[in-house]
């Protein structure tokens, strides 16, 4: 919903159309190991480097992580923000990009029919045109997603 509501027309055509046609699968990546329910405590980060943002960190317990092509990923972009929640931004990430790995969690106690996994970013690149237009509003984007 947040991409539909706040994405650029170019982002909608590039991402929403293939998702709606069933050509691509998407997921939301917000939770991290050790974070609990405090979304503002996430440690996955994104730093601008020329025409890209470089993502580093790990997301955990992500539905469809290993099956998806794209993810809406909430990360820390301003660690010195007055309120930690204002230092978060949401990015659209191609999960087949260099520096991005995904995998499944095994041995779950429940929901065995659904794929639940992890996404790891090691200097993963996201083009500067792909961050959500609402930089610093990642916590609000997260709440809309839920």
């Amino acid at each position: 919903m947040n991409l539909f509501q706040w994405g650029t027309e170019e982002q909608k055509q590039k991402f929403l159309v293939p998702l709606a046609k069933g050509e691509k699968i998407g997921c939301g990546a917000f939770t991290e190991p050790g974070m609990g329910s405090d979304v503002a405590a996430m440690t996955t980060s994104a730093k601008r480097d020329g025409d890209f943002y470089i993502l580093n960190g790990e997301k955990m317990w992500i539905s469809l992580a290993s099956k998806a092509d794209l993810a809406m990923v909430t990360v820390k972009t301003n660690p010195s923000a007055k309120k930690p929640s204002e230092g978060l931004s949401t990015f659209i990430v191609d999960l087949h990009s260099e520096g991005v790995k995904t995998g499944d969690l095994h041995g779950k106690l429940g929901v065995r029919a659904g794929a639940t996994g992890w996404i790891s970013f090691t200097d993963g690149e996201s083009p500067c045109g792909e961050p959500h237009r609402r930089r610093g509003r990642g916590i609000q984007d997260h709440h809309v997603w839920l």
Side-chain angles (χ1 to χ4, degrees):
M1 178 65 173
N2 51 12
L3 180 57
F4 178 75
Q5 189 171 1
W6 294 304
T8 65
E9 190 57 39
E10 181 183 347
Q11 288 173 331
K12 291 175 187 179
Q13 291 302 313
K14 183 176 180 180
F15 301 113
L16 287 183
V17 171
L19 290 168
K21 288 182 175 180
E23 298 167 355
K24 301 236 180 221
I25 297 173
C27 68
F30 314 107
T31 54
E32 297 184 1
M35 179 174 108
S37 60
D38 184 5
V39 177
M42 68 179 55
T43 59
T44 300
S45 65
K47 294 183 181 172
R48 189 162 189 160
D49 182 19
D51 291 336
F52 292 87
Y53 276 86
I54 306 300
L55 281 67
N56 283 288
E58 185 175 25
K59 299 296 183 177
M60 185 71 76
W61 304 287
I62 308 303
S63 296
L64 300 174
S66 66
K67 312 293 184 241
D69 301 293
L70 307 168
M72 294 291 286
V73 182
T74 302
V75 299
K76 191 168 281 191
T77 51
N78 182 1
S80 59
K82 264 187 181 176
K83 293 168 68 175
S85 62
E86 293 175 354
L88 304 177
S89 299
T90 301
F91 288 77
I92 306 161
V93 177
D94 179 342
L95 296 179
H96 305 295
S97 298
E98 191 172 324
V100 180
K101 292 182 182 179
T102 64
D104 287 319
L105 296 173
H106 300 284
K108 298 184 297 182
L109 294 177
V111 195
R112 292 175 187 248
T116 304
W118 52 268
I119 303 171
S120 175
F121 304 97
T122 305
D123 294 332
E125 293 184 348
S126 180
C128 286
E130 308 313 349
H132 224 274
R133 291 191 300 173
R134 295 162 41 90
R135 255 175 250 127
R137 305 281 308 264
I139 195 83
Q140 291 89 352
D141 292 338
H142 169 80
H143 290 152
V144 168
W145 179 274
L146 297 176

